[in-house]
Every structure is written in C-alpha cells, then in structure tokens.
Amino acid sequence: MHPQLHLYHIAHDVVAFSSTRRGGVSNNSYGEFNINLWCGDSNEHTSHNLELLASELGINADRIIIPHQVHKTLVRTIDDSFFQLSLPDKAAYLDGVDAIVTNKFGICIGVSTADCIPVLLYDPVLRVSAAVHAGWRGTQQRIVVNTIETMQKQYNCNPCDLQAVIGPGISLKAFEVGQEVYDAFVDANFDMHLISEKKEKWHIDLPLCNKLQLIHCGVLENNIQSSDICTYSNYNDFFSARRLGIHSGRIYTGILMK
C-alpha cells in the first residue's frame, strides 16, 4: 500500500504533489489517505499514513512538516534550529501557521486543504521553497503576497524566478458565498469584475484570486501551473469539506527539495 499522489513537475530535484484520497488506512469520511491531526481522524490512522508518505518520499516521518492552520497569514521559516526543538516546542512553533518557507533540503513542507487553495512556490536559483494555505480568509488577506515578501526578506528571492503551483481547491462554479464574504473582498480592493460572478448568490474564483496575487508580486504567468481540479466536483478523489463535512480528511500539498 502506498499513497497515490497527484504530482507536479517543477524541477528534476524537487518533488511537488497533492495527496489524493487513495492509498492509506483511514476510513469513512477520512478514507483513505489523511495525515491531518486536527480534523478528527484517529492518531493510529494518521500516524500510519504519515509513515506511508515518508516511505514514498524517501525521508523520515519527522521531516514532513504539517502546520496547524487557522486561516490567517502567519508565515514561518524552517531551518536547522527547528529540528533541535522538543516536540511540544515544534508544535507551538507551527501553531497558528498558514504558510511555511525553507531553504533546507530533505524536508517536506506542506499545507492541508479540503476546498481551500494550496499554493506551492519554488525558487530554482536560490533553492528556496514555500507552501501556502489560502482559504477565502487567507486569500482575502493576501497570504500569497505575504509569503513571497517573506521569501524576499529572508532569502533575497526574486519573484520573477519563482515557479508556482496552484493545487486542487474549490472552483468558481462551486464556491457560493454570502454577501458578507463578497463584501470582505470588496473592502480589500479586489477587482470583483474579474474574480466574481452573480448567480442566485455570489460566487468567487479563489484559484484566480491567488494567481492574480502571484502575478502582482512579479511571478511570471508562464511560471504558474494550475491543477484545475475542483475539490467539490471531484470529492471522490480529493477531500471536500463542503461535500463531506468538516469532520473529514484533508489533502496534503507538499514540496520536497532533494
């Protein structure tokens, strides 16, 4: 048994992927493959699945970084000092974190989603990677912009060098929102003519929102690849909280520099 991963080609020495629901030991709304610790799945199942993923990636399980996300914009960097911390201190460092940046090889950083938008970034010149969780709140607060600014400040990355992946998430067609969500994007000065559509209710295009943020930061459009997978429509293969409920598994979208 091994996790079935949806792979992205970024570079020959980089593994970038989103997990699917296949190839693990979880069951019911968590089945089969879930490694998220905070969605109600059993510790036994998440631990087993984590070991399966580690084996697939060829690293130890403690080299797979999973932040505890809270739909805000805190970005953490992972360096050698992180691995000197105790387990409680590691957990505290990753608590309330929605994006991770590193320049370390042999570790997999990633984010958990189930309709939210995962974004991966990679600088092939300076060998720096990032993983971003952009739900509607993070998108509205421009977490992608915050992450790229962190890469610039911490590692001197040039946005025009970055390769980006927009992973599986809810599509414009499926993401129906209330007026308050629409108004939040208006208040944050998004171009609603580009990112929204009115049906019976408003719909917002979260993948496009994040793509526009990438381009605004200087990422070249040709360097942005989109999975174009709607989790709501493809909930048999990818977790969707809107279809399965919040007590269900999560997709893990990760990047590993070899």
Side-chain angles (χ1 to χ4, degrees):
M1 179 182 294
H2 59 90
Q4 296 180 21
L5 306 178
H6 182 84
L7 297 170
Y8 310 104
H9 178 69
I10 293 182
H12 73 278
D13 49 3
V14 172
V15 180
F17 65 93
S18 294
S19 63
T20 70
R21 293 183 61 180
R22 312 297 175 202
V25 298
S26 296
N27 50 38
N28 299 320
S29 58
Y30 302 101
E32 300 166 354
F33 184 82
N34 170 64
I35 61 171
N36 186 274
L37 308 173
W38 300 280
C39 60
D41 199 359
S42 74
N43 289 337
E44 179 185 357
H45 287 162
T46 55
S47 295
H48 193 142
N49 288 334
L50 187 63
E51 291 292 344
L52 290 173
L53 178 59
S55 177
E56 187 76 7
L57 297 175
I59 59 177
N60 292 330
D62 66 355
R63 290 307 194 256
I64 299 174
I65 310 300
I66 310 170
H68 181 211
Q69 302 159 191
V70 292
H71 296 275
K72 293 187 179 179
T73 59
L74 180 60
V75 182
R76 289 287 200 200
T77 58
I78 301 295
D79 56 24
D80 290 333
S81 64
F82 173 80
F83 295 100
Q84 307 305 316
L85 297 174
S86 65
L87 288 177
D89 286 345
K90 285 180 179 177
Y93 185 76
L94 294 173
D95 189 45
V97 173
D98 284 88
I100 300 177
V101 179
T102 192
N103 66 346
K104 295 300 171 186
F105 303 157
I107 69 169
C108 180
I109 58 173
V111 291
S112 304
T113 60
D115 288 333
C116 295
I117 310 302
V119 179
L120 299 177
L121 299 166
Y122 175 62
D123 183 334
V125 177
L126 299 178
R127 300 296 314 272
V128 177
S129 61
V132 186
H133 163 241
W136 78 258
R137 291 177 180 85
T139 299
Q140 185 261 350
Q141 296 174 69
R142 294 179 169 85
I143 188 172
V144 161
V145 175
N146 197 25
T147 305
I148 291 176
E149 288 176 348
T150 299
M151 296 175 77
Q152 291 175 292
K153 291 174 184 175
Q154 293 289 331
Y155 302 105
N156 202 32
C157 293
N158 187 336
C160 71
D161 292 328
L162 296 179
Q163 297 285 332
V165 171
I166 299 172
I170 197 164
S171 65
L172 169 68
K173 179 180 179 181
F175 190 47
E176 182 181 272
V177 302
Q179 187 66 42
E180 72 284 356
V181 175
Y182 178 87
D183 290 343
F185 279 84
V186 172
D187 292 343
N189 297 314
F190 281 84
D191 187 341
M192 304 312 292
H193 294 291
L194 285 178
I195 68 163
S196 67
E197 181 178 291
K198 186 67 181 286
K199 297 182 181 178
E200 290 184 14
K201 291 187 176 181
W202 285 107
H203 288 237
I204 291 179
D205 192 334
L206 291 183
L208 178 58
C209 283
N210 285 284
K211 181 177 182 179
L212 292 173
Q213 288 180 43
L214 291 167
I215 293 170
H216 173 78
C217 287
V219 180
L220 302 178
E221 189 166 1
N222 286 344
N223 289 347
I224 303 171
Q225 54 179 301
S226 298
S227 69
D228 294 324
I229 296 171
C230 173
T231 46
Y232 185 86
S233 300
N234 295 278
Y235 68 98
N236 286 321
D237 295 317
F238 295 90
F239 292 109
S240 167
R242 285 204 171 195
R243 278 294 183 98
L244 301 167
I246 60 170
H247 297 293
S248 58
R250 300 292 187 268
I251 302 160
Y252 181 76
T253 297
I255 181 166
L256 165 68
M257 300 186 297
K258 295 182 177 180

